[in-house]
Amino acid sequence: MSLMEGLLHQAPSSTVTLLGAGLFLLVLYLLSSGSSSEPQGKEPPGPRPLPLLGNLLQLDFKRLYHSLFEMSKKYGSVFTVHIGAKKVVVLAGYKAVKEALVNHAEEFGERGIPLIITDIQKGHGILFANGDSWKEMRRFALTNLRDFGMGKKASEEKIIEEARYLIEVFEEHKGKAFDTTQSMHYAISNIICSIVYGSRFEYTDPRFRRSVDRVNESVRLLGSFSIQLYNMFPWLGPFLKSKSDIIKHSDSNMMEIRDLVRELKETLNPQMCRGFIDSFLVRKQTLEESSNMKSDYHNENLVQTVGNLFSAGTDTTATTMRWGLMLMAKYPQIQDRVQEEMSRVIGSRQPLVEDRKNLPYTDAVIHEIQRVANIVPMAVPHVTSRDITFQGYFIKKGTEVFPLLTSVLQDESEWETPHAFNPAHFLNEKGQFVKRDAFMPFSAGRRVCLGESLARMELFLFFTSLLQHFRFSPPPGVKEEDLDLTPVVGFTLTPAPHQLCAVSRV
């Protein structure tokens, strides 16, 4: 008699019935799960996961992008890693990322949405949304942002005006060391505000300052280990202060956006839209009057879309600018060449976007700042929309995918000196600017950053305006080589806290 038979023989009949039912259900589950999850081809390789924990013990969550980059050297350009119980496919290197996001844009085009984002946005907005609502909101946002000057002359005028305000703030420090963080974020945020709301805010406006500061803190918390733990193990939520802080910051910002929307609605003139919100309200009103059908143009989509534009449109560009000024202070000889070229080509007049083509070295430096800054090293997660065989590996529909942008921007087969700050990456032997295919800081494909043209214009105009007026250097007593380029990891990679001197050149 087997052990199981002995236990059944000695057990009461009710226990036997329950045990039998349990065994039947277990066998049924194993059979059904085995048939449904049976791979249709070879799956991407990867380290063996532990139950529940997956590969957590093999990953450094303070620098997850670095751990995955190192893993790619062992497992190749397409591999599997288990983040807790979740299976994730990682794409490494320019060729794999480009092939997936561009050549197979549809299959890799869905957005992976972390649990904390679902808690906050509930599928609304643009950045973390899928389906028809996402398509409609993205299409509307792109059209209207262009209408309000994104990447055009109107945006150029707004940026130049804001650069003057920022220069005034820098001048107030009279060459003494200061932290550029807040003023830089306020300036960049005002560009989005002028397009979305139709007006800018004073840097001293307490409501504006609170909103920008809360976004900065939330971006930092979103990349923290504790929030990554919550995304993997939701039951930890009640014990994590970082989770409650993010929810609190989001609720406060959404409330302020609703207040601003209400104020704009009270003075709305459909014949003269001041910004993105006015256009949305007019479209919403038109659809409500003409149809009884449910529309994607509702208040939650408006509020979350504005929140997406406000946070995504501020943090990445402002952080890139901070990296740029720090790199100029660290490499003064490169700063000298930028300023010499600008003095020779445009003199003391205000730099304009059309000057870019005549400033190849300056343009190369800005591109190299973006490459080295590596702001969003893992991109924003994607999800496969259908089963696909990719580079010989079967990837199931609904699999989360990390396009590892750090492996593109530092691909040793694409960049001559991938780990050094080297503007020559974007110059030919004649000193002319050259585009590089592996320059992909805005991602690519269906989910490419919708504000790319605006961000490029902002970076060029703010960078040239500031370097025309100031020479940037470390604080007294700090050597250039002592400026630490090790990033602080959040949802984006930001410079470690530091101060710079902005000495007037005028």
Side-chain angles (χ1 to χ4, degrees), residues 46-323:
R48 183 184 296 276
L50 294 172
L52 188 64
L53 294 177
N55 301 118
L56 296 190
L57 301 182
Q58 297 158 274
L59 299 169
D60 176 4
F61 274 81
K62 291 183 178 178
R63 292 199 306 162
L64 181 57
Y65 65 97
H66 181 72
S67 293
L68 296 176
F69 196 8
E70 289 301 307
M71 276 187 178
S72 72
K73 295 173 184 177
K74 178 176 181 181
Y75 295 105
S77 58
V78 183
F79 67 96
T80 301
V81 66
H82 290 75
I83 311 290
K86 181 186 290 184
K87 180 190 289 186
V88 174
V89 169
V90 180
L91 307 175
Y94 165 67
K95 290 179 181 176
V97 171
K98 187 254 183 183
E99 184 182 348
L101 300 190
V102 178
N103 300 356
H104 296 281
E106 190 70 30
E107 293 91 335
F108 288 93
E110 295 292 286
R111 172 64 74 226
I113 307 176
L115 177 60
I116 186 67
I117 300 295
T118 300
D119 294 342
I120 295 168
Q121 298 186 9
K122 298 177 174 58
H124 301 306
I126 302 176
L127 188 57
F128 289 99
N130 288 307
D132 292 339
S133 175
W134 166 73
K135 290 178 184 176
E136 184 62 28
M137 288 301 101
R138 183 178 172 91
R139 188 183 304 117
F140 180 82
L142 269 173
T143 300
N144 281 273
L145 290 176
R146 286 173 184 150
D147 287 347
F148 289 107
M150 183 178 78
K152 298 179 182 177
K153 192 69 178 176
S155 284
E156 182 176 27
E157 292 168 359
K158 290 183 174 78
I159 296 165
I160 289 171
E161 178 192 15
E162 199 61 46
R164 289 177 183 142
Y165 287 113
L166 185 61
I167 287 167
E168 288 177 10
V169 172
F170 280 24
E171 284 175 339
E172 290 171 2
H173 295 280
K174 300 185 184 303
K176 295 180 180 177
F178 69 103
D179 188 333
T180 63
T181 305
Q182 284 189 312
S183 54
M184 187 65 74
H185 279 260
Y186 297 157
I188 301 297
S189 183
N190 255 338
I191 305 303
I192 294 295
C193 289
S194 65
I195 292 172
V196 172
Y197 300 125
S199 61
R200 68 178 297 278
F201 294 86
E202 295 297 328
Y203 297 169
T204 53
D205 184 319
R207 180 167 66 172
F208 174 64
R209 291 173 69 99
R210 286 194 301 267
S211 293
V212 176
D213 293 348
R214 281 194 294 260
V215 166
N216 291 349
E217 177 64 7
S218 295
V219 169
R220 184 188 68 80
L221 290 173
L222 281 170
S224 65
F225 179 54
S226 57
I227 291 299
Q228 293 181 70
L229 277 177
Y230 169 68
N231 289 331
M232 290 182 280
F233 308 113
W235 56 269
L236 289 172
F239 307 103
L240 299 174
K241 183 177 182 299
S242 52
K243 187 222 170 185
S244 61
D245 284 347
I246 286 180
I247 299 295
K248 182 173 66 177
H249 291 335
S250 175
D251 288 346
S252 297
N253 274 359
M254 292 306 105
M255 188 182 304
E256 292 194 351
I257 291 172
R258 289 187 181 94
D259 288 343
L260 285 163
V261 169
R262 191 159 43 247
E263 292 169 15
L264 289 169
K265 193 173 183 179
E266 290 171 359
T267 55
L268 180 66
N269 177 0
Q271 307 306 317
M272 192 177 293
C273 290
R274 294 157 292 191
F276 175 85
I277 290 176
D278 280 10
S279 291
F280 192 103
L281 291 172
V282 169
R283 182 67 174 272
K284 177 175 179 287
Q285 186 177 330
T286 303
L287 289 171
E288 288 172 349
E289 291 171 354
S290 63
S291 174
N292 293 322
M293 294 177 62
K294 184 180 177 183
S295 165
D296 292 317
Y297 293 86
H298 51 75
N299 288 337
E300 276 309 299
N301 249 345
L302 172 57
V303 171
Q304 294 296 345
T305 296
V306 170
N308 288 167
L309 295 172
F310 190 75
S311 55
T314 297
D315 182 79
T316 50
T317 305
T319 300
T320 303
M321 278 299 307
R322 290 175 58 218
W323 277 114

Side-chain angles (χ1 to χ4, degrees), residues 308-428:
N308 288 167
L309 295 172
F310 190 75
S311 55
T314 297
D315 182 79
T316 50
T317 305
T319 300
T320 303
M321 278 299 307
R322 290 175 58 218
W323 277 114
L325 299 184
M326 188 180 183
L327 285 161
M328 291 303 94
K330 188 172 182 67
Y331 300 108
Q333 71 282 9
I334 293 176
Q335 183 176 192
D336 288 341
R337 284 193 62 182
V338 169
Q339 291 172 332
E340 184 279 324
E341 182 181 64
M342 287 175 57
S343 296
R344 176 167 39 83
V345 174
I346 62 177
S348 59
R349 70 165 170 80
Q350 170 63 48
L352 302 171
V353 170
E354 65 184 26
D355 293 319
R356 188 199 302 264
K357 62 181 180 294
N358 298 318
L359 297 169
Y361 186 78
T362 301
D363 200 11
V365 167
I366 294 170
H367 279 71
E368 183 69 353
I369 288 167
Q370 289 183 268
R371 188 191 72 82
V372 169
N374 187 27
I375 297 296
V376 190
M378 297 196 301
V380 184
H382 288 236
V383 164
T384 47
S385 61
R386 60 178 73 110
D387 292 353
I388 180 174
T389 298
F390 180 75
Q391 292 197 354
Y393 298 113
F394 175 74
I395 304 173
K396 191 176 180 181
K397 175 184 177 180
T399 300
E400 190 155 315
V401 177
F402 290 170
L404 199 59
L405 292 187
T406 191
S407 70
V408 178
L409 297 173
Q410 297 177 16
D411 190 327
E412 293 183 356
S413 64
E414 296 290 332
W415 305 98
E416 293 76 15
T417 55
H419 307 293
F421 183 68
N422 180 9
H425 285 139
F426 296 93
L427 296 167
N428 64 17

